[in-house]
Amino acid sequence: MSAAIPVPARQRTASVSASEPPSSIPIPANTRGVPQSSFGAQSPGAAGTSPRTFSTGFSTSPSAGPLRTGSIGSAFHGIARQLTAFLPPNYTLAEEPEDQEKRQGKTKILLLENINLDAAQFLKNQGYEVEHVTKAYSEEELISKLPNYHAIGIRSKTKITQKVIDANPQLRVIGCFCIGTNQVDLDYAAKRGIAVFNSPYANSRSVAELVISEIIALSRQYVDRTHEMRAGIWNKLSKNCWEVRGKTLGIVGYGHIGSQLSVLAEAFGMTVIYYDVIPIMPLGTARQVENLSDLLSRADFVTLHVPEIPDTIGMMGEAQFAQMKVGSFFINNARGRVVDLPALATALESKHLAGAAVDVFPKEPGANGPGFNETLGDFIPRLRNVSNLILTPHIGGSTEEAQRAIGSEVSTALARYLNYGTSLGAVNFPEVDLRAITTADERHIRVCHVHRNEPGVLKVINNILADHNIEKQYSDSKGEIAYLMADISGVGEEEVVGIYNAIKNTRANILTRLLCE
């Protein structure tokens, strides 16, 4: 969140749309008259005005430096780091010059895998310190480098494992700038109070268009013809080259990508059948089949659009390829582990399949450049040597339009969660939101409490907040995890630490944050 700009009282409004939150959440006034000397010694200068956050790791957001105990009164010994989050913007603690940057430091976000630069700029404009890296990080690199950051943005290659999460207790949120989230241990992240966001629909059109182009390319064998021309060979032929009009496309997974692809394919004159585990109303004249075997035996082209879950891993193997029509084509732009690639290589080598297109692999290089070789699997050289096979480096969603849309969606979700506690769109977390605190709410704080889903938690929390007016409150649960948001008013600065500690020390606590400016 950017630094707050003071607004004259006559210009303040009492209501703000939740879809357009205010630029700041005001600091509660010191309503009980506690002298400033109780909070810490004064020093010249002005403190930063970017949003601050308490957390169970005794860190503040954007500040996350170590605790300072030498410049505060005995009543608040050992907790000055949190308390500074609630001091007025013109009030600072006496600190050494080298500590001032930590005192006013920003939330740090690490973006890996060449995430769209517009997303990085948006997060910078929100007041965060952003590092943009073009490659993926290994588990060892994440364990080494991620402790400097409070949020991370990844695509499909970086793996956030339980080991990585345990090594980074300060991590608050993960943004998957892609459709899939199988690269993150979602359950364990939730148990540690880490919300995970993704962009499930923004690149649907890009993937659908890629499939259409692959269908035509495989039908006309023009990838092979291009390779021959580059080698100086003129090989004009029409044998086994087909129009796509009148052919049958079988779509496995009729979600956002599959349904868009269905419409595009019908525009080319194709007949569309699809298989999905649930009944779905078709678009156009497409028809749903009862089982996968039926689809495989009828389709001239089979394309996968399924997530990587236990039920789909290895769903296409030797038996399934044998069920496909002789001379048919296979396309996978979904996830690498849903297909047995050695079995696909065998089906292509035997000419049972006339061609295939593969955009995703069980293991993929972490950066651009050399590396697509047998180290990723002994089937890679076999695939590289078969004819009429299109191999692409996981580019299904790699268009300018898709990456801008994904960057906008996920970066906005990260900022809303960090700034306001909003978890709408989280894939592993209860989805909770409250309307924004407005510039007129000068004595409000927002409680964001992630806890185990156990009986009696709300009673305990409401007892803690009983001395204050609960302006609005909402809680939800998802499996073993529950999330409570509450805005309370009439809170003095001298009370904040007590509220935080009381909630943090409850039996079911996973993560507690208090948000104000």
Side-chain angles (χ1 to χ4, degrees):
M1 188 188 300
S2 58
I5 301 175
V7 180
R10 64 180 180 273
Q11 296 181 12
R12 293 174 180 163
T13 60
S15 62
V16 174
S17 170
S19 63
E20 298 180 0
S23 62
S24 64
I25 300 180
I27 298 171
N30 182 8
T31 58
R32 309 302 168 93
V34 177
Q36 289 185 334
S37 59
S38 297
F39 296 99
Q42 298 186 42
S43 64
T49 57
S50 51
R52 312 289 185 179
T53 308
F54 280 141
S55 73
T56 54
F58 287 98
S59 65
T60 58
S61 175
S63 174
L67 294 177
R68 285 194 55 80
T69 60
S71 61
I72 57 175
S74 58
F76 294 95
H77 183 77
I79 54 175
R81 214 48 182 154
Q82 297 93 309
L83 193 60
T84 57
F86 297 89
L87 293 178
N90 61 351
Y91 185 82
T92 61
L93 294 178
E95 296 175 327
E96 291 75 21
E98 60 270 18
D99 287 333
Q100 281 295 329
E101 185 173 352
K102 293 180 180 179
R103 165 72 169 79
Q104 301 176 37
K106 298 177 180 179
T107 293
K108 295 183 177 181
I109 301 177
L110 176 63
L111 301 181
L112 301 177
E113 303 186 59
N114 203 28
I115 286 169
N116 183 261
L117 289 174
D118 289 346
Q121 188 59 52
F122 170 82
L123 293 169
K124 290 179 182 178
N125 292 343
Q126 290 289 303
Y128 302 122
E129 184 176 315
V130 179
E131 181 174 356
H132 186 271
V133 179
T134 58
K135 72 182 189 77
Y137 274 1
S138 66
E139 186 176 70
E140 292 73 20
E141 288 175 309
L142 288 170
I143 291 172
S144 171
K145 299 177 181 180
L146 193 52
N148 296 320
Y149 300 91
H150 309 93
I152 184 172
I154 61 174
R155 294 179 71 183
S156 58
K157 296 183 179 67
T158 302
K159 311 299 181 185
I160 307 295
T161 63
Q162 179 175 333
K163 188 176 180 181
V164 171
I165 293 171
D166 283 338
N168 295 279
Q170 84 299 332
L171 189 62
R172 293 290 167 260
V173 61
I174 298 169
C176 295
F177 286 74
C178 53
I179 292 178
T181 55
N182 58 290
Q183 67 275 40
V184 179
D185 190 329
L186 297 176
D187 290 339
Y188 195 72
K191 291 176 182 178
R192 295 296 298 271
I194 301 171
V196 180
F197 297 90
N198 72 333
S199 180
Y201 315 125
N203 69 356
S204 300
R205 178 70 181 200
S206 296
V207 177
E209 289 186 3
L210 178 64
V211 175
I212 287 293
S213 72
E214 290 169 336
I215 289 172
I216 296 173
L218 292 171
S219 297
R220 301 297 296 272
Q221 302 180 23
Y222 65 60
V223 172
D224 284 359
R225 300 293 85 79
T226 297
H227 288 162
E228 292 164 353
M229 293 288 282
R230 288 180 179 275
I233 300 171
W234 183 275
N235 188 22
K236 180 180 179 180
L237 54 83
S238 58
K239 184 179 180 180
N240 294 324
C241 294
W242 314 94
E243 292 182 355
V244 301
R245 180 182 54 173
K247 305 303 185 295
T248 298
L249 172 64
I251 301 173
V252 182
Y254 201 71
H256 285 80
I257 296 173
S259 56
Q260 284 201 48
L261 174 60
S262 173
V263 174
L264 295 176
E266 287 195 354
F268 278 86
M270 301 186 77
T271 299
V272 178
I273 59 176
Y274 64 93
Y275 169 69
D276 203 290
V277 293
I278 60 175
I280 300 178
M281 181 175 290
L283 300 179
T285 61
R287 293 185 178 274
Q288 186 167 7
V289 298
E290 293 185 359
N291 54 64
L292 179 60
S293 296
D294 188 14
L295 181 142
L296 296 177
S297 64
R298 293 171 55 186
D300 299 302
F301 296 84
V302 173
T303 177
L304 303 186
H305 301 285
V306 297
E308 183 182 297
I309 57 177
D311 289 342
T312 62
I313 293 175
M315 67 178 295
M316 287 297 297
E318 182 179 354
Q320 287 72 34
F321 288 123
Q323 293 173 15
M324 291 180 62
K325 295 166 62 173
V326 175
S328 58
F329 302 88
F330 176 76
I331 298 171
N332 182 26
N333 292 322
R335 282 290 180 264
R337 293 207 295 163
V338 304
V339 178
D340 181 347
L341 288 180
L344 175 61
T346 299
L348 291 167
E349 291 165 345
S350 68
K351 304 299 182 180
H352 181 79
L353 297 183
V358 181
D359 186 49
V360 288
F361 302 86
K363 295 181 181 179
E364 299 178 354
N368 291 341
F372 184 68
N373 51 43
E374 63 277 0
T375 62
L376 303 177
D378 56 12
F379 51 83
I380 296 296
R382 295 175 61 193
L383 292 175
R384 290 169 60 179
N385 287 325
V386 296
S387 60
N388 205 24
L389 173 62
I390 302 172
L391 297 173
T392 50
H394 204 147
I395 60 170
S398 295
T399 62
E400 292 286 352
E401 294 89 348
Q403 290 307 305
R404 281 198 297 267
I406 291 171
S408 174
E409 182 176 359
V410 180
S411 61
T412 299
L414 294 181
R416 285 177 59 82
Y417 182 72
L418 290 169
N419 291 351
Y420 306 110
T422 299
S423 61
L424 294 181
V427 295
N428 68 329
F429 223 62
E431 296 187 80
V432 176
D433 191 16
L434 289 178
R435 69 180 184 274
I437 295 176
T438 72
T439 53
D441 302 323
E442 295 183 347
R443 297 169 55 198
H444 286 56
I445 65 172
R446 173 162 290 179
V447 177
C448 300
H449 179 49
V450 185
H451 56 276
R452 294 189 297 275
N453 188 17
E454 299 177 358
V457 173
L458 290 181
K459 178 180 178 181
V460 172
I461 299 301
N462 286 333
N463 285 339
I464 293 171
L465 305 179
D467 290 337
H468 303 280
N469 185 36
I470 300 177
E471 297 283 348
K472 45 189 179 288
Q473 183 181 42
Y474 182 46
S475 66
D476 195 10
S477 63
K478 186 172 185 177
E480 300 178 4
I481 307 302
Y483 185 32
L484 165 72
M485 288 176 64
D487 288 351
I488 56 176
S489 61
V491 184
E493 292 168 355
E494 74 281 6
E495 300 171 288
V496 170
V497 173
I499 293 172
Y500 167 72
N501 284 331
I503 297 175
K504 180 185 75 70
N505 291 322
T506 55
R507 182 189 64 196
N509 179 76
I510 294 176
L511 174 70
T512 296
R513 297 194 299 156
L514 302 186
L515 298 177
C516 75
E517 185 192 1

